[in-house]
Amino acid sequence: MKKRLRWGIGVILLLIPALLTSSGCQKKTKESEAEEQKVELMKKPYKNEEFAAGTYAQVLIYDKGHGDADFDVVKNQLNELAAKFEVYEQGESEFDRINAQAGIKPVKVSKVTFELAEALQKYGKSSDGYYNPTVGVMTQLWHIGFSSGQVPSDELVKATLDKVNIDDIVLNAKDQTVFLKKKGMMIEADGIGKGFIAERLLKTLKDQGVTTAVVNLGGHAYTMGKNPNHKNGKWEVGIANPQLGENQDSPLVGVLTSRHTSFDTTNYYGRYLKAGDKIYSHLFDTKTGYPMETDLLSVTMVGDNPTYDDAYSNVLMNMGLEKGMKFVNDHDEIDAVFVTKSKEVHISEHIPGEFELLDKSFKVVEGVAKK
């Protein structure tokens, strides 16, 4: 099934080592203790990984007695959701139908697709334009990350500008419809879809009795449960070298140890187009129609809300280091690690000593790193 756009393409930047979970240090009721005693966690998890739904998907389950049956349910759910949200040449998804009827009529969609559209609109409006789900007309024009990628004429680029406007998404909750006001508009889930899907996959695993798991979608990792190998039950995640040409086997810049459960990395070179000596990122400045320029190589957003964190990892990348760091430091519920093109590492102020630098060709210049 040939796809026109894939929101999952990119190197895997978040690498999760073997992880365990435990009871942690909080006070527990007798009921919760009894429930925990029924759960037997394994040192090595059940693991399923494959290229599915346009991205590298990995699921780890640590509960003994769970495995193949749970993986099958999650895999089916992953493919079903992606089939609704991705953009296909054949025009098969619900997003395709929305885009095909842009400027013509509203399209009735499934409940889950409407929920995603609501999230796209919500974070598009709350981010002051740094995240815009109507960027599809620009990504389709440039086709960055594909063999057909090219630098379009300035005239064609300018023609996309009036078709990228978050205010032109009209949602009708009563009829469960989505409408794009202008012909030629395209809505896409890139930059938020993985977090949105991961939330639902983790809920499914929980409903099946799983207490401890990791869902990794294209370098965005989401966890459930705690790590008993760490005295505070924290997870350890690796941040890969985000330089041009690196892949999922890249050496690590460093390791982040955190209580948080959602880890989203946006990488400047996740997809790119090289034309002569110029490198164009897949991330767009929707005010100009051209790929954005930034001082950052990557941003790893750390929080506990997969959909929000996925969206805002893109927001932070588009903001750049100074604005992005200020945003994170103004929000106690999130943390971030910024890696710049000058090979500097900047750590938000809420996570002192939680990042350990491994690649000494990089340098921590802001924030407190683990010694």
Side-chain angles (χ1 to χ4, degrees):
M1 186 182 297
K2 193 174 181 182
K3 299 167 187 173
R4 185 170 67 231
L5 297 175
R6 285 178 176 170
W7 41 259
I9 292 179
V11 299
I12 294 176
L13 299 178
L14 230 50
L15 306 179
I16 301 183
L19 304 169
L20 299 175
T21 64
S22 79
S23 57
C25 301
Q26 296 181 350
K27 185 177 180 180
K28 302 176 181 67
T29 63
K30 291 182 179 180
E31 290 79 6
S32 64
E33 289 179 341
E35 183 65 27
E36 285 187 2
Q37 291 175 0
K38 298 177 183 178
V39 177
E40 183 177 352
L41 301 178
M42 303 178 300
K43 184 175 182 180
K44 292 186 178 180
Y46 299 113
K47 180 170 66 173
N48 181 267
E49 53 187 4
E50 57 190 290
F51 192 86
T55 189
Y56 171 83
Q58 180 190 67
V59 179
L60 308 177
I61 298 175
Y62 293 84
D63 296 68
K64 189 172 184 179
H66 291 264
D68 290 343
D70 302 279
F71 290 137
D72 288 342
V73 172
V74 169
K75 178 182 176 181
N76 289 338
Q77 184 181 24
L78 171 62
N79 286 319
E80 288 172 5
L81 291 174
K84 294 179 184 294
F85 308 152
E86 289 197 66
V87 180
Y88 297 89
E89 287 185 349
Q90 296 89 341
E92 298 171 341
S93 74
E94 291 190 296
F95 270 40
D96 283 319
R97 292 196 290 111
I98 294 169
N99 294 336
Q101 297 300 319
I104 302 173
K105 65 179 183 180
V107 175
K108 185 173 178 59
V109 296
S110 63
K111 182 175 181 292
V112 69
T113 296
F114 190 80
E115 290 172 350
L116 175 57
E118 287 182 312
L120 293 172
Q121 186 182 65
K122 173 183 177 180
Y123 295 126
K125 289 186 174 182
S126 69
S127 66
D128 294 327
Y130 285 107
Y131 169 70
N132 194 322
T134 64
V135 72
V137 64
M138 293 177 181
T139 59
Q140 175 59 19
L141 175 64
W142 287 76
H143 232 211
I144 292 175
F146 295 83
S147 59
S148 55
Q150 60 181 345
V151 179
S153 68
D154 188 58
E155 182 180 8
L156 289 175
V157 171
K158 288 181 178 178
T160 67
L161 297 181
D162 69 338
K163 299 179 179 65
V164 180
N165 190 338
I166 190 67
D167 293 327
D168 287 337
I169 300 177
V170 180
L171 304 181
N172 185 315
K174 180 180 178 181
D175 298 332
Q176 205 167 286
T177 61
V178 181
F179 178 54
L180 305 180
K181 289 183 179 180
K182 297 177 181 177
K183 284 189 176 182
M185 284 187 69
M186 292 181 66
I187 191 172
E188 63 176 38
D190 196 5
I192 192 172
K194 284 177 279 190
F196 184 87
I197 287 178
E199 281 192 40
R200 281 142 187 82
L201 299 184
L202 288 171
K203 183 180 184 303
T204 294
L205 288 171
K206 185 176 181 180
D207 290 345
Q208 293 175 184
V210 175
T211 67
T212 307
V214 176
V215 172
N216 186 344
L217 299 178
H220 297 263
Y222 310 94
T223 68
M224 178 171 64
K226 296 181 180 179
N227 180 2
N229 260 11
H230 192 283
K231 61 181 180 181
N232 292 320
K234 297 180 180 180
W235 295 97
E236 294 182 333
V237 297
I239 298 177
N241 189 325
Q243 295 189 87
L244 182 63
E246 301 293 347
N247 55 43
Q248 70 184 62
D249 296 319
S250 301
L252 299 181
V253 171
V255 174
L256 180 69
T257 304
S258 176
R259 291 181 182 276
H260 288 301
T261 58
S262 173
F263 307 89
D264 292 84
T265 295
T266 294
N267 177 16
Y268 187 78
Y269 294 127
R271 293 196 303 267
Y272 63 90
L273 169 66
K274 187 173 184 179
D277 296 329
K278 179 72 173 177
I279 301 294
Y280 296 92
S281 171
H282 68 295
L283 304 167
F284 282 88
D285 180 343
T286 56
K287 293 181 176 64
T288 67
Y290 283 88
M292 57 166 283
E293 295 290 341
T294 178
D295 52 357
L296 296 172
L297 275 177
S298 74
V299 176
T300 297
M301 172 86 165
V302 187
D304 296 295
N305 184 329
T307 304
Y308 173 89
D309 299 335
D310 195 355
Y312 271 80
S313 67
N314 292 274
V315 170
L316 296 180
M317 175 66 80
N318 291 340
M319 283 182 171
L321 176 61
E322 184 176 354
K323 288 184 179 179
M325 181 64 80
K326 183 180 186 307
F327 181 90
V328 174
N329 288 338
D330 286 344
H331 292 76
D332 292 344
E333 73 278 11
I334 58 175
D335 297 312
V337 176
F338 299 81
V339 181
T340 72
K341 290 180 177 178
S342 57
K343 304 189 77 172
E344 296 177 348
V345 178
H346 297 251
I347 307 166
S348 63
E349 63 184 23
H350 305 136
I351 50 174
E354 293 189 358
F355 177 81
E356 180 181 5
L357 183 69
L358 299 180
D359 188 337
K360 302 306 180 182
S361 69
F362 289 79
K363 181 181 180 181
V364 176
V365 299
E366 182 177 6
V368 180
K370 183 178 180 180
K371 298 297 184 181

